[in-house]
Structure formats: C-alpha cells, structure tokens
Amino acid sequence: MEITTYLLNRIGFLRNDLLKSRKSNIGFPDFLGIGAQKAGTTWLYENLRKHPELFLPEKKEIHFFDRQFYKSINWYYKHFLDADILKTKGEITPSYSILSDEKIKFIYKMNPKLRIILLLRNPAERAWSHAVMNLVKRTKRNISLVKNEEFIAHFKHTRSIERGDYLKIIRNWEKYFSPDQIFIGDYSQ
C-alpha cells in the first residue's frame, strides 16, 4: 500500500471516529451496493433511482469508503441531504466489495442494520469487461491495438483478481453483516 493512501486512511479513521462519536447515524444510508464491478450495478442504480420510495444520490459512485475516506463523514452525509425522511436511502459503489476489514467494521458500527447488495457475474466475463473498460474505453484505443500482454497483465493484477474472488468478498462482509442482510444477485438472471 502506498504511504499516501495509508496516511489518508489513518486521517480518515481519526476524523470519522471522532465525528461518529458525536453524531447519530441518521444521515447514513440504509443500504449499500458493493459490486461486483462490471456486474450490472449501473443498471441497478438507474432502476432504483426511479423507485418512489428510494433515494440514491445523483452520482452513482461516491467512493467515500475507498478513495474519499480522508474527508469527513459529514461530507458523505451531504450526499443524502435531499432524501425525504420516509425514503430508504442507499448508494452504490462497486469497489466497496474489496474494502479492508477495518473499513467494513467501521461501516457496521455506523449502521449495524445496513443492507448489502452484491451483484455477481461469471468471473471470467467480469474480468474481460473490466479489462476492456480499462484498456480500451478509458484510453480510447481500438481493441485490436491492445497487446495480449496488456490483457494478461491486467488479468494478473491484484485488483482484477480481488474483484473476482466472490467467496472472499462474501466472507469479509459476513464477518459483520448476517447473511440475511446481504442480497446476492446474479448478473445472468
């Protein structure tokens, strides 16, 4: 882990533990969509946003618990300010599936009744879609210009392997949330 990421996470835990002890979790969502990446989370987000009894922020992926954790929990809560008190609040960030144990525990402490949504896809298809997104779409290259070695390196990268290790993901989240709090959906269904 990079030293910068480590320091930002430490700052996040110090700041957010202090704020958490002073506030209730009323601004915290009722459910989190944690992935898997490239398994239908955008489709899920777009459809849940249309439901009259649900509130999801305008932006699909807030990334508070992974990239933005150094910001305060108040920053996160601001994404839910427009939510009607009677609506069920949620957010979807697929990279939450591979959060550290420490962050999953923090989430649990914020809302032990939280519901988790995990959509799964055939791991090989998920990895391919992930690679195409990173090596073709984001770089705006033609797929025929991407060398086989680049695809192989992408598939062997820790992040790609972690995102497809569904058993580990489920076990990590079940350390804190009971199986009846975790909905697991199948992309192919």
Side-chain angles (χ1 to χ4, degrees), residues 85-182:
I85 192 92
L86 299 174
K87 289 191 177 189
T88 300
K89 301 181 299 292
E91 81 120 327
I92 298 174
T93 301
S95 57
Y96 290 171
S97 63
I98 58 171
L99 288 176
S100 68
D101 188 72
E102 189 176 20
K103 286 187 181 173
I104 297 170
K105 184 178 182 178
F106 178 86
I107 292 168
Y108 175 78
K109 286 180 178 179
M110 292 302 298
N111 184 357
K113 295 179 181 179
L114 187 73
R115 299 291 184 154
I116 307 299
I117 300 171
L118 175 63
L119 299 181
L120 304 181
R121 182 179 186 180
N122 174 304
E125 291 174 8
R126 193 219 60 78
W128 174 253
S129 183
H130 184 199
V132 168
M133 177 182 73
N134 286 344
L135 299 173
V136 178
K137 292 179 181 174
R138 286 189 177 159
T139 62
K140 296 183 168 87
R141 293 193 295 174
N142 186 303
I143 196 166
S144 63
L145 299 177
V146 181
K147 297 177 183 168
N148 288 341
E149 293 79 17
E150 291 177 86
F151 279 111
I152 291 167
H154 190 278
F155 298 139
K156 289 183 175 181
H157 193 277
T158 306
R159 289 289 186 193
S160 183
I161 293 168
E162 286 177 334
R163 292 175 195 274
D165 190 349
Y166 301 144
L167 187 57
K168 181 179 179 184
I169 290 167
I170 293 166
R171 284 181 177 157
N172 286 344
W173 283 85
E174 283 185 345
K175 286 180 193 174
Y176 300 98
F177 296 95
S178 67
D180 65 314
Q181 289 178 267
I182 302 173

Side-chain angles (χ1 to χ4, degrees), residues 21-38:
S21 65
R22 291 189 201 161
K23 291 185 99 169
S24 73
N25 67 354
I26 199 158
F28 205 81
D30 303 295
F31 69 89
L32 285 181
I34 63 167
Q37 184 186 50
K38 310 311 293 175

Side-chain angles (χ1 to χ4, degrees), residues 16 19 23 64 71-79:
N16 292 312
L19 288 170
K23 291 185 99 169
F64 176 67
K71 296 181 179 180
S72 79
I73 195 80
N74 294 331
W75 177 87
Y76 184 60
Y77 285 166
K78 286 179 183 176
H79 291 86

Side-chain angles (χ1 to χ4, degrees), residues 2 4 13 23 29-30 34 44-45 49 59-60 69 127 130 137 163 170:
E2 293 178 26
T4 306
F13 277 111
K23 291 185 99 169
D30 303 295
I34 63 167
L44 179 66
Y45 168 79
R49 271 194 55 100
K59 184 176 180 185
K60 176 189 163 210
F69 194 65
H130 184 199
K137 292 179 181 174
R163 292 175 195 274
I170 293 166

